[in-house]
Amino acid sequence: PRDVDLLVVGDADLRAVRRACQPVQGSLRVEINPIVLTVAEWNATPPDPFVAQLKSQPLVPVPVNRT
């Protein structure tokens, strides 16, 4: 792929997520497009149309190492 869309759900700073993606972008040679949503935004009823579209497509959970 030319790029990877990365969805982060939780209390994360978008700038910090972008910084964390930089070394991966370099090693994989693909652009990473991070999106940060709060848990409330992800679980809202009814969902935002953008969130509804995300939820309708395949998602790949990525485990987080919180050390």
Side-chain angles (χ1 to χ4, degrees):
R2 287 192 231 169
D3 67 342
V4 173
D5 295 325
L6 174 67
L7 171 64
V8 177
V9 178
D11 185 24
D13 177 67
L14 180 57
R15 288 184 201 152
V17 172
R18 285 186 177 145
R19 281 193 302 273
C21 290
Q22 287 176 346
V24 177
Q25 288 183 121
S27 64
L28 295 179
R29 297 182 182 165
V30 296
E31 181 180 351
I32 299 176
N33 305 305
I35 301 165
V36 176
L37 297 174
T38 65
V39 173
E41 289 171 320
W42 183 251
N43 292 326
T45 304
D48 176 87
F50 176 69
V51 173
Q53 180 185 3
L54 289 174
K55 288 183 172 184
S56 73
Q57 299 181 24
L59 301 174
V60 178
V62 177
V64 176
N65 183 359
R66 297 177 187 235
T67 56

